[in-house]
């Protein structure tokens, strides 16, 4: 059995203020079951309580009002649940991002590990590469798709990697927040294979690098960049060429981002 109640009583049933309920009525998010034509008083059905509870929770999750409208207008429960799951997934990703930023910010409160710089000359090397123009915010997901494709292509061709995987990042990637990124896996000299259209065989040029190791996830890799780049500026002459990262221990080898080990290679000379 259902009943109708005043807007004040409905506010008590749903934890939505009278002001909020009036606003939701104005934007046609949740409309009263009846409106007195003379007084304009709104009355709500007890059948609407569950809907109001859903709206309040979705707003607490910062779901935009147009998306809430779409959820409420879903033709069936499965369609509604798909929309809800998609929003929850976005919220969980945002929560993880917030946790990562908090952890990275906390790390700034502790002294950085002493910088150890190694000088190394790396000869030219043939690589299987994914060359693309990537925005800074998109680089993480891009790498997550690029490296599996590289390794799957090598496995299908029965070609063993000839060294550790890595990536190069152009000057524009940092200066303009969009630029060329090259994900690569070294291959034996003379390698030939059938390739997906996204991939290519290229040769990375021989260079001399100043190298520092970054331990852990990439959330605070900027600290390693800052320390190494400052060291090079003070002691050497940096080339205006892509920085090279070598993933000595990366996602393809371990599941714990805290255990990643990346060599950041700052170009300082030709060979």
């Amino acid at each position: 059995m259902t009943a109708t109640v005043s807007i004040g009583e409905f506010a008590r049933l749903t934890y939505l203020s009278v002001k909020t309920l009036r606003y939701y009525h104005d934007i046609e998010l949740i409309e009263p079951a009846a409106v007195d034509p003379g007084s304009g008083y709104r009355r709500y059905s007890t059948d609407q309580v569950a809907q109001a509870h859903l709206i309040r929770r979705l707003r607490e999750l910062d779901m935009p009002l147009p998306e809430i409208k779409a959820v409420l207008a879903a033709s069936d429960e499965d369609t509604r649940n798909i929309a809800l799951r998609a929003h929850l997934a976005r919220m969980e990703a945002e929560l993880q991002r917030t946790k990562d930023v908090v952890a990275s910010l906390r790390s700034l409160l502790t002294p950085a590990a002493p910088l150890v710089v190694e000088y190394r000359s790396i000869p030219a090397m043939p690589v299987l590469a994914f060359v693309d123009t990537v925005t800074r915010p998109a680089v993480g997901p891009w790498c997550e798709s690029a490296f599996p494709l590289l390794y799957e292509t090598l496995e299908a061709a029965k070609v063993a990697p000839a060294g550790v995987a890595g990536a190069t990042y152009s000057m524009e990637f940092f200066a303009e927040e969009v630029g060329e990124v090259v994900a690569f896996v070294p291959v034996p000299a003379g390698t030939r294979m059938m390739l997906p259209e996204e991939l290519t065989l290229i040769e990375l040029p021989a260079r001399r690098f100043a190298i520092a190791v970054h331990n852990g996830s990439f959330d605070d890799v900027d600290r390693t960049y800052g320390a190494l780049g400052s060291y090079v500026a003070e002691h050497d002459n940096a080339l205006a060429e892509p920085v090279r990262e070598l993933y000595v221990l990366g996602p393809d080898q371990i599941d714990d981002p805290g255990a990643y080990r990346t060599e950041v290679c700052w170009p300082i000379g030709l060979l």
Side-chain angles (χ1 to χ4, degrees):
M1 177 179 177
T2 62
T4 61
V5 296
S6 69
I7 190 172
E9 182 68 5
F10 195 67
R12 183 160 65 170
L13 296 178
T14 62
Y15 275 55
L16 293 172
S17 71
V18 168
K19 180 180 178 181
T20 298
L21 288 169
R22 287 173 178 158
Y23 174 61
Y24 286 171
H25 180 197
D26 290 342
I27 65 173
E28 300 179 346
L29 185 60
I30 181 168
E31 300 187 40
V35 180
D36 186 279
S39 64
Y41 288 164
R42 300 167 172 89
R43 293 189 68 82
Y44 292 81
S45 168
T46 51
D47 281 344
Q48 295 176 287
V49 170
Q51 184 182 54
H53 288 168
L54 175 61
I55 292 171
R56 187 169 65 84
R57 281 163 173 75
L58 294 178
R59 287 301 293 149
E60 289 176 346
L61 288 175
D62 294 326
M63 178 180 275
L65 290 172
E67 291 189 27
I68 295 179
K69 279 189 176 183
V71 168
L72 298 180
S75 58
D76 54 66
E77 186 174 348
D78 286 344
T79 303
R80 186 198 71 173
N81 289 344
I82 288 172
L84 290 176
R85 290 191 187 99
H87 185 72
L88 288 174
R90 290 195 297 271
M91 291 297 298
E92 288 169 349
E94 180 63 21
L95 177 60
Q96 185 59 52
R97 189 193 71 82
T98 300
K99 289 180 177 178
D100 292 342
V101 172
V102 168
S104 182
L105 181 59
R106 185 173 287 116
S107 73
L108 290 178
L109 302 177
T110 60
L115 181 70
V116 177
V117 178
E118 171 195 351
Y119 288 90
R120 189 188 309 162
S121 295
I122 299 180
M125 66 174 74
V127 298
L128 177 64
F130 192 151
V131 183
D132 200 0
T133 299
V134 186
T135 65
R136 187 104 62 84
V139 73
W142 183 84
C143 286
E144 288 175 3
S145 62
F147 285 104
L149 178 59
L150 290 168
Y151 281 110
E152 288 165 8
T153 301
L154 289 175
E155 184 176 0
K158 295 182 171 52
V159 175
V164 299
T168 69
Y169 299 88
S170 65
M171 292 286 288
E172 292 76 17
F173 177 78
F174 299 102
E176 308 297 334
E177 293 198 327
V178 57
E180 185 178 271
V181 179
V182 180
F184 65 85
V185 178
V187 295
T191 295
R192 298 289 183 272
M193 66 179 85
M194 295 292 293
L195 299 176
E197 62 178 355
E198 305 97 323
L199 304 187
T200 184
L201 288 166
I202 62 174
E203 183 175 86
L204 295 183
R207 289 293 182 268
R208 182 165 174 77
F209 295 98
I211 299 174
V213 174
H214 176 77
N215 291 303
S217 73
F218 297 102
D219 296 321
D220 58 352
V221 72
D222 59 329
R223 296 187 76 183
T224 302
Y225 268 67
L228 178 59
S230 296
Y231 181 93
V232 169
E234 294 164 3
H235 297 86
D236 294 289
N237 292 310
L239 299 181
E241 292 189 357
V243 170
R244 193 179 300 184
E245 293 182 358
L246 300 177
Y247 306 127
V248 181
L249 288 175
D252 59 307
Q253 298 159 297
I254 50 179
D255 296 326
D256 177 17
Y260 291 175
R261 188 170 186 269
T262 302
E263 291 183 340
V264 179
C265 308
W266 215 271
I268 59 172
L270 310 179
L271 291 189

